Amino acid sequence: MTRAGDRPREPRPAAITLSAHHQDSTLVIDLAGDLAADTAPGLDLLSAALTRATRHVVVDTSGVDFVDGAGLRTLLRARHVCAGHGIDFVLRHPGPHLQWLMDITGTTELLLLPGPADPPADEQRSGGPAGSRSRPTGAAGPHTAEERERLLDEREHTAADREFLADEREKLLDEREHRVTAHQEWEDIREDLANQREQDLEQRERRLGRDPRDPGP
Amino acid sequence: MIRNDFDAGVTEVSVHGTWNAELRALTAPNLRACLAETPRAVLVDLSGLVDPAGESVQTWRTAARFAATRRPVSQLVVCAAPEPVRQRLDGTNLRSADSVGDARAAAKTPPWTNRRQLHLPCDLGAAALARDLVADACHDWRMAQMIIPARLIVSELVANAVEHADTDLVAAVSLRGPVLHLAVRDYAMRMPRLIEHDPERLATMIEQRGAGLRLVGRVSTGWGALPGTVGKIVWSTFDHCPGDDLS
């Protein structure tokens, strides 16, 4: 069958563009294009721009046309790397497609809310350039700066690990449920078939004059 | 033996051997797996079946009843049935044909009206082309609300094929009653023959093929893989008007 859409098209160059700039301790990354299996795996969102002074990362996705599972993994990986350095990571301006993808994968909170130890990035942005005063202040007491940082690091790590574990468990549960449902369906049809067969045999036996439920004299 | 004719939307199932409990247990779930794909028709080729008592009739009738409850409705056509089966089919409303060839010819008409397909090279840009194909189709068929999930599904299907099959591809989108059907065909034969039959094996396949298909599974109404006339087809269906019965 030949249709208009049947001809091979010229391969469209898959493209993602990234630009990053610092506003004091906040690294703002503007993404545009498709963040998908063809572009996402080789993309390192952070390494080029992350500095020792970076405390916040804001990824602006208003220019992103499409994100698939691989693209989402790239974002989650970047968030994980940030968490490991005690940096909070937040996504801004997701389009409806990305919002939907985050909703169905349960990652909305992870990506849209900044880490609990820090004030929301929006506050800092609206209050002008954020300075070094916005260092996390979650751990009170006579800790040194290094200790405090180490504790925060650890806490972020545990939180991230817990998220990963919860995610994995959910996946496993999903799969098991799927398998159980499928199995139940097969069982149903098998039972159906067995019933039919039994009825059939009964009919045939009745036709032969030997009704099994009513043994003759 | 299962073969899906990708262009016609028809799946042929050949049943070989002597009918017994084992063959029945193998056949019934495979028929269901084929029907789940929402084909126009499933043609059951019985030319290789030995069934002197015609005992297999109940299986074909049950499958036909299941086919009739599907949305969209699929046809089940029993082809080249051996004489004892044919005799017991008389008087039932089960469709039958003298040969698979006859049934095949009948099942292909009328041609699809809402179906588009695109040949794709096996490279990383293929997924982007497939997304455009599907987005254009949804737009033209006035189903803009489907664009977001449909682009994701076809993109994951193509990306998986590019990664694992390493052959050229064809992506297709079709409107089948209340269902939007997305499929990607590749030319790699590497697939267990009865992949839908064994839930354990299906789970393994999902693992091997990574999280992309898991995502497809979460978003789709149904999805699966079938051997094609060449290579294989991985498909996904999506209700575009849930609750609205268009039958």
mmCIF file of all heavy atoms in Angstrom, chain B residues 179-198:
data_model
loop_
_atom_site.group_PDB
_atom_site.id
_atom_site.type_symbol
_atom_site.label_atom_id
_atom_site.label_comp_id
_atom_site.label_asym_id
_atom_site.label_seq_id
_atom_site.Cartn_x
_atom_site.Cartn_y
_atom_site.Cartn_z
ATOM 1 N N VAL B 179 -9.590 3.298 19.594
ATOM 2 C CA VAL B 179 -8.205 3.042 20.002
ATOM 3 C C VAL B 179 -7.227 3.669 19.006
ATOM 4 O O VAL B 179 -7.408 3.563 17.799
ATOM 5 C CB VAL B 179 -7.970 1.510 20.085
ATOM 6 C CG1 VAL B 179 -6.503 1.186 20.127
ATOM 7 C CG2 VAL B 179 -8.685 0.939 21.303
ATOM 8 N N LEU B 180 -6.229 4.328 19.550
ATOM 9 C CA LEU B 180 -5.111 4.766 18.709
ATOM 10 C C LEU B 180 -4.040 3.683 18.808
ATOM 11 O O LEU B 180 -3.622 3.307 19.901
ATOM 12 C CB LEU B 180 -4.558 6.094 19.206
ATOM 13 C CG LEU B 180 -3.472 6.703 18.311
ATOM 14 C CD1 LEU B 180 -4.088 7.256 17.035
ATOM 15 C CD2 LEU B 180 -2.726 7.815 19.033
ATOM 16 N N HIS B 181 -3.628 3.186 17.668
ATOM 17 C CA HIS B 181 -2.707 2.053 17.619
ATOM 18 C C HIS B 181 -1.362 2.541 17.091
ATOM 19 O O HIS B 181 -1.294 3.145 16.023
ATOM 20 C CB HIS B 181 -3.293 0.990 16.692
ATOM 21 C CG HIS B 181 -2.478 -0.267 16.597
ATOM 22 N ND1 HIS B 181 -1.413 -0.394 15.743
ATOM 23 C CD2 HIS B 181 -2.598 -1.456 17.230
ATOM 24 C CE1 HIS B 181 -0.897 -1.614 15.872
ATOM 25 N NE2 HIS B 181 -1.605 -2.278 16.762
ATOM 26 N N LEU B 182 -0.321 2.298 17.853
ATOM 27 C CA LEU B 182 1.020 2.700 17.434
ATOM 28 C C LEU B 182 1.860 1.441 17.324
ATOM 29 O O LEU B 182 1.774 0.560 18.184
ATOM 30 C CB LEU B 182 1.635 3.627 18.485
ATOM 31 C CG LEU B 182 0.870 4.930 18.706
ATOM 32 C CD1 LEU B 182 1.275 5.560 20.024
ATOM 33 C CD2 LEU B 182 1.137 5.888 17.566
ATOM 34 N N ALA B 183 2.661 1.352 16.276
ATOM 35 C CA ALA B 183 3.450 0.139 16.128
ATOM 36 C C ALA B 183 4.767 0.456 15.458
ATOM 37 O O ALA B 183 4.874 1.384 14.655
ATOM 38 C CB ALA B 183 2.691 -0.896 15.300
ATOM 39 N N VAL B 184 5.776 -0.320 15.815
ATOM 40 C CA VAL B 184 7.076 -0.206 15.174
ATOM 41 C C VAL B 184 7.492 -1.596 14.737
ATOM 42 O O VAL B 184 7.451 -2.541 15.521
ATOM 43 C CB VAL B 184 8.119 0.413 16.120
ATOM 44 C CG1 VAL B 184 9.507 0.331 15.516
ATOM 45 C CG2 VAL B 184 7.759 1.856 16.418
ATOM 46 N N ARG B 185 7.830 -1.698 13.468
ATOM 47 C CA ARG B 185 8.255 -2.978 12.959
ATOM 48 C C ARG B 185 9.741 -2.899 12.641
ATOM 49 O O ARG B 185 10.232 -1.915 12.096
ATOM 50 C CB ARG B 185 7.464 -3.258 11.668
ATOM 51 C CG ARG B 185 7.910 -4.458 10.925
ATOM 52 C CD ARG B 185 8.221 -4.074 9.496
ATOM 53 N NE ARG B 185 8.174 -5.237 8.655
ATOM 54 C CZ ARG B 185 7.249 -5.461 7.748
ATOM 55 N NH1 ARG B 185 6.288 -4.589 7.534
ATOM 56 N NH2 ARG B 185 7.303 -6.537 7.023
ATOM 57 N N ASP B 186 10.471 -3.943 13.030
ATOM 58 C CA ASP B 186 11.862 -4.017 12.623
ATOM 59 C C ASP B 186 12.070 -5.336 11.915
ATOM 60 O O ASP B 186 11.150 -6.143 11.791
ATOM 61 C CB ASP B 186 12.810 -3.830 13.822
ATOM 62 C CG ASP B 186 12.648 -4.927 14.864
ATOM 63 O OD1 ASP B 186 12.707 -6.116 14.486
ATOM 64 O OD2 ASP B 186 12.472 -4.603 16.048
ATOM 65 N N TYR B 187 13.272 -5.554 11.443
ATOM 66 C CA TYR B 187 13.531 -6.739 10.636
ATOM 67 C C TYR B 187 14.387 -7.753 11.381
ATOM 68 O O TYR B 187 14.981 -8.631 10.773
ATOM 69 C CB TYR B 187 14.162 -6.344 9.292
ATOM 70 C CG TYR B 187 13.211 -5.522 8.467
ATOM 71 C CD1 TYR B 187 13.173 -4.139 8.585
ATOM 72 C CD2 TYR B 187 12.318 -6.136 7.594
ATOM 73 C CE1 TYR B 187 12.276 -3.378 7.852
ATOM 74 C CE2 TYR B 187 11.425 -5.381 6.857
ATOM 75 C CZ TYR B 187 11.402 -4.001 6.983
ATOM 76 O OH TYR B 187 10.504 -3.265 6.274
ATOM 77 N N ALA B 188 14.458 -7.606 12.670
ATOM 78 C CA ALA B 188 15.232 -8.557 13.466
ATOM 79 C C ALA B 188 14.306 -9.665 13.952
ATOM 80 O O ALA B 188 13.221 -9.405 14.449
ATOM 81 C CB ALA B 188 15.873 -7.850 14.657
ATOM 82 N N MET B 189 14.751 -10.897 13.793
ATOM 83 C CA MET B 189 13.912 -12.025 14.179
ATOM 84 C C MET B 189 14.075 -12.377 15.644
ATOM 85 O O MET B 189 13.403 -13.258 16.153
ATOM 86 C CB MET B 189 14.274 -13.263 13.340
ATOM 87 C CG MET B 189 13.940 -13.127 11.879
ATOM 88 S SD MET B 189 12.180 -12.797 11.638
ATOM 89 C CE MET B 189 11.489 -14.367 12.190
ATOM 90 N N ARG B 190 15.033 -11.728 16.314
ATOM 91 C CA ARG B 190 15.390 -12.166 17.648
ATOM 92 C C ARG B 190 14.236 -11.931 18.621
ATOM 93 O O ARG B 190 14.098 -10.884 19.226
ATOM 94 C CB ARG B 190 16.629 -11.423 18.111
ATOM 95 C CG ARG B 190 17.310 -12.060 19.315
ATOM 96 C CD ARG B 190 18.499 -11.256 19.721
ATOM 97 N NE ARG B 190 18.139 -9.856 19.908
ATOM 98 C CZ ARG B 190 18.894 -8.848 19.559
ATOM 99 N NH1 ARG B 190 20.040 -9.055 18.990
ATOM 100 N NH2 ARG B 190 18.503 -7.595 19.758
ATOM 101 N N MET B 191 13.398 -12.919 18.727
ATOM 102 C CA MET B 191 12.301 -12.825 19.675
ATOM 103 C C MET B 191 11.823 -14.228 19.979
ATOM 104 O O MET B 191 11.687 -15.023 19.073
ATOM 105 C CB MET B 191 11.154 -12.031 19.072
ATOM 106 C CG MET B 191 10.032 -11.822 20.025
ATOM 107 S SD MET B 191 8.769 -10.742 19.358
ATOM 108 C CE MET B 191 7.917 -11.879 18.314
ATOM 109 N N PRO B 192 11.584 -14.528 21.244
ATOM 110 C CA PRO B 192 11.016 -15.840 21.551
ATOM 111 C C PRO B 192 9.693 -15.975 20.812
ATOM 112 O O PRO B 192 8.929 -15.018 20.712
ATOM 113 C CB PRO B 192 10.797 -15.793 23.059
ATOM 114 C CG PRO B 192 11.582 -14.652 23.548
ATOM 115 C CD PRO B 192 11.757 -13.701 22.425
ATOM 116 N N ARG B 193 9.430 -17.156 20.303
ATOM 117 C CA ARG B 193 8.301 -17.312 19.398
ATOM 118 C C ARG B 193 6.966 -17.007 20.089
ATOM 119 O O ARG B 193 6.098 -16.390 19.497
ATOM 120 C CB ARG B 193 8.275 -18.735 18.852
ATOM 121 C CG ARG B 193 7.362 -18.925 17.678
ATOM 122 C CD ARG B 193 7.821 -20.097 16.844
ATOM 123 N NE ARG B 193 7.828 -21.312 17.628
ATOM 124 C CZ ARG B 193 6.810 -22.175 17.650
ATOM 125 N NH1 ARG B 193 5.747 -21.928 16.933
ATOM 126 N NH2 ARG B 193 6.876 -23.261 18.367
ATOM 127 N N LEU B 194 6.828 -17.444 21.311
ATOM 128 C CA LEU B 194 5.537 -17.296 21.983
ATOM 129 C C LEU B 194 5.698 -16.323 23.140
ATOM 130 O O LEU B 194 5.437 -16.636 24.289
ATOM 131 C CB LEU B 194 5.043 -18.648 22.481
ATOM 132 C CG LEU B 194 4.902 -19.675 21.374
ATOM 133 C CD1 LEU B 194 4.600 -21.029 21.955
ATOM 134 C CD2 LEU B 194 3.837 -19.251 20.383
ATOM 135 N N ILE B 195 6.121 -15.132 22.777
ATOM 136 C CA ILE B 195 6.578 -14.207 23.809
ATOM 137 C C ILE B 195 5.483 -13.796 24.783
ATOM 138 O O ILE B 195 5.744 -13.622 25.958
ATOM 139 C CB ILE B 195 7.200 -12.991 23.123
ATOM 140 C CG1 ILE B 195 8.011 -12.176 24.115
ATOM 141 C CG2 ILE B 195 6.159 -12.113 22.477
ATOM 142 C CD1 ILE B 195 9.045 -11.344 23.446
ATOM 143 N N GLU B 196 4.248 -13.721 24.324
ATOM 144 C CA GLU B 196 3.176 -13.256 25.208
ATOM 145 C C GLU B 196 2.702 -14.362 26.132
ATOM 146 O O GLU B 196 1.976 -14.118 27.067
ATOM 147 C CB GLU B 196 1.979 -12.781 24.383
ATOM 148 C CG GLU B 196 2.314 -11.767 23.360
ATOM 149 C CD GLU B 196 2.546 -10.403 23.942
ATOM 150 O OE1 GLU B 196 3.176 -10.293 25.011
ATOM 151 O OE2 GLU B 196 2.129 -9.458 23.333
ATOM 152 N N HIS B 197 3.084 -15.581 25.806
ATOM 153 C CA HIS B 197 2.506 -16.704 26.524
ATOM 154 C C HIS B 197 3.036 -16.815 27.949
ATOM 155 O O HIS B 197 2.309 -17.176 28.863
ATOM 156 C CB HIS B 197 2.798 -17.988 25.749
ATOM 157 C CG HIS B 197 2.412 -19.218 26.483
ATOM 158 N ND1 HIS B 197 1.112 -19.414 26.898
ATOM 159 C CD2 HIS B 197 3.116 -20.289 26.905
ATOM 160 C CE1 HIS B 197 1.049 -20.572 27.529
ATOM 161 N NE2 HIS B 197 2.243 -21.116 27.553
ATOM 162 N N ASP B 198 4.280 -16.503 28.105
ATOM 163 C CA ASP B 198 4.945 -16.772 29.370
ATOM 164 C C ASP B 198 5.167 -15.473 30.134
ATOM 165 O O ASP B 198 6.033 -14.675 29.776
ATOM 166 C CB ASP B 198 6.294 -17.444 29.070
ATOM 167 C CG ASP B 198 6.985 -17.876 30.347
ATOM 168 O OD1 ASP B 198 6.543 -17.461 31.425
ATOM 169 O OD2 ASP B 198 7.963 -18.638 30.232
#
